[in-house]
Amino acid sequence: MERTLKLLLLLVFLVLGALGQVVNRQIAYVTVAPSGTCNATGIDLLTPNGTLYTCQSGIWGAAAGGGGSSPAGTSVQDMQCWASASTFGVCSGKSVPINPLQQGVTCDGSTDDTSAWNTLFAAIAAGTITQHTVIMPNPCQTKVTSTINIPVLSQLRFIALGESRGTQTPTTAGSSFLWYGAAGGTVMSIKTQDSLFEGFTIVTDAGPNQADVGIVIDQDASPSQITTDNTFRRVTVYENVNRSTFKGISIAPTSANNVENMKFYDLVVVCGTAGKPAAGGIGIQLGPSSNAKTQQFYHAQITYCTNALNETNGSFQAENWQTQSNTIEFKLANWSEAQTIKGLNSEGGGQLLVVTGHAIDPPLTFTGNTMEAALSAGVPSIDASQTVNLIFIGNKLYGSANTVFANTDGDNANLYAMNNNYTGSQVCTMAQYNSFHLGFLVSNDNWAGGNSDCPGTIIPLMISSSTENGGSGRTSSHAVDFRSAGYTSPFQSGTSLPAACTSGVDWFNKTNGNTGQTLYYCSATNTWLAIGSTLTSPTFVTPALGTPASGVMSNTTTATVAADDNSTKLASTAYVDRMKARGIGFTLGDPGNSSALTTAAVTYLTVPFACTISAYNLLIDAGTITVKFWKIATGTAIPTISNSINTSGVAISSGTAIHSTTVSDFTTTTVTANDIMAVQPTAVATAKFLNAVLECDQ
């Protein structure tokens, strides 16, 4: 829907010009109705006293008839309505988007537009203006001297037609907010729900002073409510001068209520021009309020910042970022839910992760990231200096000879690593050997040069394919694949047994012991027992990694398990269901609205994962409803009714909620990653609100 509006308004601006003036004389305002012949090339519209005339078959005639047939569709009437309306809402029976040029905004880059913008948004929030779609024209450089306040409201659509993303001069091109206010201000404050912000640029230092914050998203106003489910697309925050007080995006700095589930797509934040600044500001700030929850960032570009993302509190998911020349990519203190950083490509930066304070749960997962670090001597790529569960899978870190993992204060930290590729003098350095618990170093981790030095509990079956090239680490000194190693030294050794040992854990090779009795086992606390005297040598069974084949797993009992057989659950092993259901949710309308939904209502979203539709859920406030779902592969267009994946549609005919696993009405149940989906009512009676959720199995 938003893209359709953008195309319509782009056509309008081509026809009307930025200020409703005549551009290339495609539209002329006259006081006498035209007559006679006309040139049909171009649009050539005439509007005397509000009546629209067009060139129809070479003869001037009113658009509603006369002089030839009416133009196809209603776009001509819509454009006339949009151009002539002084207030916005319903015009000639049609819903017209808000043109800020007709609400006092000048877009000339020199006139102060602050009051006009704030008056417009306040009128929408108060209901004085009922239309919630605002289209910012192109070009539109709007000068602001104090904060643009977008107050408590829902379902605002703020769409800019001329983003300056990628241009060299955002102050003279595209749709931009230019700060000319006092030093230390905030350019834009947002307190909305279920709203869309798209396509504009904020320049925090266009004038002689610099704003400290580009966009703050918070909830500190009365009436109290949560700020949730806003979407930001292709928004840029630009700063020319590196400053320690700068924050491109600030989420929940003060809120006592939830400020959650913001979704950012193609965000750009530039903190200045100097690479890896010591005091260069923050690209994205979460907290200090703990209510900055479940923020989502997809395909962000963050450059020239001291911290690309600084999390004082809250939680986030980051996917497919491109960063450059940041001092620290992620600096984290506390988080409330499991967090994932996936698909990062970091160039010329400093540290990948610094954790300054956290309880050990929930985990932080890095997967599929590539980092080319340029670190100063002695600075680790990852410094988890507090208690943390770090899961590190399928990453590549190169370009630095420094340590990869460090736990500088020795607090308990768990590292789980699999299929990574590192370059560095060491993989781990730990201040206290026994305080770092290395859960397991899984197969195919490879580090070039130096010392692994990762102490703790190693599970041998999980490192049978790992390699360490050179050096002498505490866990292994050569290839861990023992078949090709020149020798192995799995136990401590010496001529005297240590005074202390841990029962069931420690082994010792007493090199001057009796023949056949040089190996000792700690059978009780501080008590050594020679193997071969009263204890039979134990047998180790090392199961293979990968999908299990049919066979026997033995310890003290024997059980036969078929390949991929989940019917038998071992008592000591947590059973994990391979099937994971995820929800794809859509919302239309508001129970508080005065009018029912219509069949023209449509909402869209992108599904970032692949899955199979197995059920659906519908909720309404009253009445009945039938809906169809649309789906199209990712690309350059959103789906239309021709992309429906329903035959007749699914419905609520009684009650206000339905859950159904019957999906026979769906022509396909397959969803591919990044498919664009939509939902549209095809029949509505009374219902003013719809929540539709597709259950989709992975």
Side-chain angles (χ1 to χ4, degrees), residues 413-435:
N414 292 330
L415 168 66
Y416 306 90
M418 177 191 296
N419 296 334
N420 299 293
N421 193 328
Y422 321 112
T423 61
S425 59
Q426 292 179 294
V427 175
C428 300
T429 57
M430 311 302 156
Q432 299 178 26
Y433 177 89
N434 291 324
S435 294

Side-chain angles (χ1 to χ4, degrees), residues 97-118:
I98 299 170
N99 181 350
L101 291 170
Q102 297 181 3
Q103 296 292 326
V105 176
T106 66
C107 289
D108 62 10
S110 58
T111 303
D112 187 355
D113 288 331
T114 309
S115 178
W117 281 113
N118 284 335

Side-chain angles (χ1 to χ4, degrees), residues 219-260:
Q219 189 49 257
D220 56 2
S222 180
S224 178
Q225 70 165 43
I226 60 174
T227 298
T228 183
D229 289 314
N230 293 311
T231 299
F232 298 81
R233 297 175 183 162
R234 300 181 71 81
V235 171
T236 298
V237 180
Y238 188 84
E239 165 78 18
N240 288 284
V241 180
N242 293 98
R243 295 179 294 115
S244 61
T245 56
F246 172 78
K247 297 179 181 69
I249 306 290
S250 177
I251 301 177
T254 62
S255 177
N257 297 309
N258 288 347
V259 180
E260 59 187 359

Side-chain angles (χ1 to χ4, degrees), residues 34-63:
S35 61
T37 61
C38 57
N39 184 355
T41 60
I43 298 177
D44 294 330
L45 303 180
L46 300 173
T47 57
N49 300 324
T51 302
L52 180 66
Y53 282 75
T54 63
C55 188
Q56 304 169 14
S57 302
I59 303 295
W60 287 113

Side-chain angles (χ1 to χ4, degrees), residues 37-173:
T37 61
C38 57
N39 184 355
T41 60
I43 298 177
D44 294 330
L45 303 180
L46 300 173
T47 57
N49 300 324
T51 302
L52 180 66
Y53 282 75
T54 63
C55 188
Q56 304 169 14
S57 302
I59 303 295
W60 287 113
S69 60
S70 298
T74 57
S75 60
V76 172
Q77 290 91 335
D78 286 345
M79 287 188 292
Q80 181 193 31
C81 178
W82 184 90
S84 62
S86 59
T87 60
F88 289 85
V90 176
C91 177
S92 300
K94 297 191 176 295
S95 181
V96 179
I98 299 170
N99 181 350
L101 291 170
Q102 297 181 3
Q103 296 292 326
V105 176
T106 66
C107 289
D108 62 10
S110 58
T111 303
D112 187 355
D113 288 331
T114 309
S115 178
W117 281 113
N118 284 335
T119 299
L120 170 59
F121 289 124
I124 297 173
T128 307
I129 296 177
T130 59
Q131 174 59 262
H132 279 206
T133 298
V134 180
I135 306 296
M136 187 176 182
N138 177 30
C140 181
Q141 285 76 55
T142 180
K143 177 181 178 180
V144 296
T145 56
S146 60
T147 302
I148 301 296
N149 289 299
I150 304 179
V152 175
L153 60 94
S154 63
Q155 296 185 337
L156 174 70
R157 300 293 182 264
F158 182 76
I159 303 169
L161 296 178
E163 58 182 314
S164 62
R165 179 189 180 101
T167 68
Q168 297 300 313
T169 53
T171 56
T172 59

Side-chain angles (χ1 to χ4, degrees), residues 249-512:
I249 306 290
S250 177
I251 301 177
T254 62
S255 177
N257 297 309
N258 288 347
V259 180
E260 59 187 359
N261 201 29
M262 305 300 152
K263 293 174 285 293
F264 290 82
Y265 301 89
D266 296 307
L267 171 69
V268 174
V269 179
V270 180
C271 292
T273 57
K276 293 195 300 180
I282 295 169
I284 301 168
Q285 170 68 46
L286 303 185
S289 170
S290 61
N291 290 298
K293 298 178 179 179
T294 60
Q295 314 304 328
Q296 302 167 53
F297 302 92
Y298 303 98
H299 196 256
Q301 297 184 37
I302 314 294
T303 57
Y304 302 124
C305 303
T306 298
N307 302 329
L309 184 146
N310 188 76
E311 181 184 58
T312 311
N313 244 317
S315 63
F316 71 94
Q317 306 291 319
E319 187 170 337
N320 296 332
W321 283 29
Q322 175 71 46
T323 63
Q324 183 175 353
S325 300
N326 299 311
T327 307
I328 299 172
E329 303 296 2
F330 298 93
K331 186 174 183 181
L332 314 179
N334 295 291
W335 56 92
S336 51
E337 287 95 13
Q339 305 189 127
T340 300
I341 298 168
K342 177 181 179 182
L344 169 73
N345 185 14
S346 171
E347 297 181 1
Q351 291 179 278
L352 175 59
L353 170 68
V354 174
V355 179
T356 59
H358 186 60
I360 200 163
D361 286 318
L364 173 63
T365 301
F366 279 77
T367 179
N369 302 291
T370 300
M371 180 175 182
E372 179 187 15
L375 297 170
S376 302
V379 177
S381 296
I382 295 175
D383 186 357
S385 59
Q386 300 290 328
T387 54
V388 62
N389 272 331
L390 179 61
I391 302 172
F392 208 70
I393 303 173
N395 302 284
K396 182 178 181 180
L397 276 67
Y398 65 99
S400 172
N402 294 356
T403 299
V404 178
F405 301 104
N407 181 23
T408 54
D409 68 356
D411 284 341
N412 291 338
N414 292 330
L415 168 66
Y416 306 90
M418 177 191 296
N419 296 334
N420 299 293
N421 193 328
Y422 321 112
T423 61
S425 59
Q426 292 179 294
V427 175
C428 300
T429 57
M430 311 302 156
Q432 299 178 26
Y433 177 89
N434 291 324
S435 294
F436 189 94
H437 301 291
L438 184 64
F440 44 82
L441 201 59
V442 188
S443 64
N444 298 324
D445 271 43
N446 181 70
W447 49 89
N451 183 355
S452 69
D453 203 26
C454 292
T457 302
I458 307 294
I459 300 178
L461 66 90
M462 302 302 288
I463 62 170
S464 60
S465 299
S466 299
T467 59
E468 176 190 341
N469 302 323
S472 56
R474 286 179 177 145
T475 59
S476 66
S477 58
H478 293 287
V480 182
D481 185 341
F482 299 112
R483 294 171 300 178
S484 59
Y487 66 92
T488 62
S489 181
F491 308 122
Q492 301 178 63
S493 64
T495 58
S496 299
L497 293 170
C501 68
T502 301
S503 176
V505 173
D506 292 336
W507 295 75
F508 191 86
N509 181 25
K510 192 171 183 295
T511 56
N512 60 349

Side-chain angles (χ1 to χ4, degrees), residues 592-639:
N593 287 343
S594 60
S595 57
L597 293 171
T598 70
T599 57
V602 184
T603 187
Y604 304 84
L605 59 76
T606 298
V607 183
F609 50 83
C611 59
T612 301
I613 298 170
S614 60
Y616 66 87
N617 298 270
L618 301 178
L619 302 176
I620 57 176
D621 59 316
T624 63
I625 195 166
T626 301
V627 301
K628 287 186 177 182
F629 295 88
W630 305 346
K631 180 173 73 70
I632 193 172
T634 185
T636 59
I638 59 177

